[in-house]
Amino acid sequence: MSRGPGKVERAIEAAFLASPEATFSVADLGPIAYPGLNRVEKRHRVAILRAADRVAARLWWKGLKSERPGGAIVYCNLLNVRSYTLGRMRVDLVDGTEPLWRLESLLEPPQFGDPWKHRNQWDRIQPGGSYWLHVEMAKAQKAGDFAEYERLRAALRESVNRRIAAMYPDAYELSDG
């Protein structure tokens, strides 16, 4: 019979609750779960993963697996658009190699002459953007409002179809006739 959350689980939960806009990799959670430990070993990482998965399920966070070799896990808040977007960027094959400060700068409005403008995520986190819709869908699902969830899902599908049509206009012209 369980006696409730252990020390590691409580430390991770406190970190998630204290920073709802943040993202955490397993490496980030090591010093939080085991303060004063010089080297986080495999047994510590396994304990962190187990505890973080339990906390994530309770608090509507999710562990995203990296697309890069090694498959690092990054935890993000499904109910916060900034955390969700940073989490998706940290596990992305291309963006995941960038330092966190640069990823955070890609969430700001694009500036004229910015060499990183093509990777900017500003439009995706604005109301109606794809990441914003994902977060709103999670909020509706948490509230049990399945009609709103389906409405948002249809809006997301329409948004994706518009983006694909903009990228490949000839393919959509052929399918309409």
Side-chain angles (χ1 to χ4, degrees), residues 138-157:
K139 289 178 181 178
Q141 195 172 21
K142 181 181 181 191
D145 189 353
F146 297 108
E148 177 68 4
Y149 173 83
E150 288 300 326
R151 185 190 71 75
L152 292 165
R153 188 173 171 200
L156 178 62
R157 200 171 20 253

Side-chain angles (χ1 to χ4, degrees), residues 2-43:
S2 175
R3 292 192 248 177
K7 162 183 93 145
V8 173
E9 197 170 327
R10 287 192 310 268
I12 291 171
E13 184 171 359
F16 284 3
L17 290 172
S19 305
E21 290 190 351
T23 60
F24 297 94
S25 68
V26 175
D28 297 336
L29 291 172
I32 293 169
Y34 296 101
L37 192 67
N38 291 335
R39 182 171 158 227
V40 178
E41 298 174 3
K42 182 177 180 177
R43 61 191 171 125

Side-chain angles (χ1 to χ4, degrees), residues 36-139:
L37 192 67
N38 291 335
R39 182 171 158 227
V40 178
E41 298 174 3
K42 182 177 180 177
R43 61 191 171 125
H44 300 115
R45 290 191 301 272
V46 169
I48 289 168
L49 281 169
R50 286 182 182 160
D53 284 343
R54 284 192 296 270
V55 172
R58 283 197 310 268
L59 299 181
W60 283 80
W61 283 61
K62 184 174 184 175
L64 303 174
K65 188 173 181 181
S66 175
E67 297 172 356
R68 295 188 325 257
I73 307 290
V74 175
Y75 290 90
C76 64
N77 186 349
L78 294 176
L79 304 177
N80 183 291
V81 71
R82 184 174 179 83
S83 174
Y84 180 74
T85 304
L86 281 173
R88 295 284 299 257
M89 292 170 72
R90 286 183 73 180
V91 299
D92 185 66
L93 183 64
V94 176
D95 287 333
T97 60
E98 298 299 328
L100 189 56
W101 65 267
R102 183 171 319 267
L103 296 179
E104 288 174 341
S105 73
L106 294 175
L107 300 180
E108 303 301 323
Q111 301 296 319
F112 178 75
D114 182 10
W116 294 83
K117 186 177 180 181
H118 65 285
R119 289 169 61 179
N120 192 284
Q121 303 293 319
W122 176 252
D123 60 330
R124 289 181 161 189
I125 65 173
Q126 297 307 303
S130 57
Y131 289 156
W132 181 84
L133 286 168
H134 279 262
V135 169
E136 292 301 312
M137 285 169 54
K139 289 178 181 178

